[in-house]
Amino acid sequence: ERPVAEATSMLLELEGYDVSIASSENEALERALAQSPDLIVSDYHLRCGETGVTVVNSVRDRLREAVPVIFVTGDTAKAAIADSKIPNATLLNKPVRADDLVAAVRESISARRRAIAPSP
């Protein structure tokens, strides 16, 4: 939902992150191609029956990179949990506390930077 996305964006911007909001798979692809993301934060359930997994896989395929992702969900069904267990993915269950989200974002981005840093 747009208000939740905007509140999340504001929270992460206050933490110093550059945030871009996408409302559809096409918009996510456009934004990712314009500026490759360090991390994707997505709700598991999206509009029109789509899942965040579908959109994330589409972005990853297009970028040819396993961009880290944080899925946020209130769904406790085994299928949703299993589906969200893709590489470089973190699952946070709703309700998500702001400090838990920020900590997960910080850790995901730090892990990505460590993974791509050149070895000494």
Side-chain angles (χ1 to χ4, degrees):
E1 299 300 317
R2 191 72 181 184
V4 174
E6 289 173 355
T8 302
S9 175
M10 189 180 310
L11 168 69
L12 295 175
E13 286 171 346
L14 287 171
E15 292 292 323
Y17 296 104
D18 183 22
V19 179
S20 181
I21 298 173
S23 299
S24 68
E25 182 175 355
N26 285 338
E27 205 173 320
L29 286 168
E30 286 175 16
R31 295 198 192 301
L33 291 171
Q35 183 176 1
S36 184
D38 291 321
L39 173 70
I40 299 169
V41 178
S42 177
D43 203 310
Y44 176 78
H45 289 287
L46 303 175
R47 294 182 186 149
C48 303
E50 280 187 317
T51 68
V53 174
T54 302
V55 174
V56 166
N57 283 334
S58 180
V59 169
R60 287 175 165 187
D61 288 348
R62 192 58 111 24
L63 295 176
R64 295 187 174 127
E65 181 180 1
V67 178
V69 60
I70 297 172
F71 290 113
V72 179
T73 187
D75 193 340
T76 57
K78 288 182 183 179
I81 293 168
D83 192 30
S84 66
K85 290 189 177 187
I86 61 174
N88 289 332
T90 301
L91 181 66
L92 297 178
N93 290 305
K94 293 179 185 178
V96 177
R97 294 182 15 204
D99 56 338
D100 291 339
L101 177 62
V102 170
V105 167
R106 193 174 294 129
E107 176 54 34
S108 293
I109 289 176
S110 292
R112 176 181 169 86
R113 290 182 178 154
R114 286 190 303 271
I116 62 174
S119 299

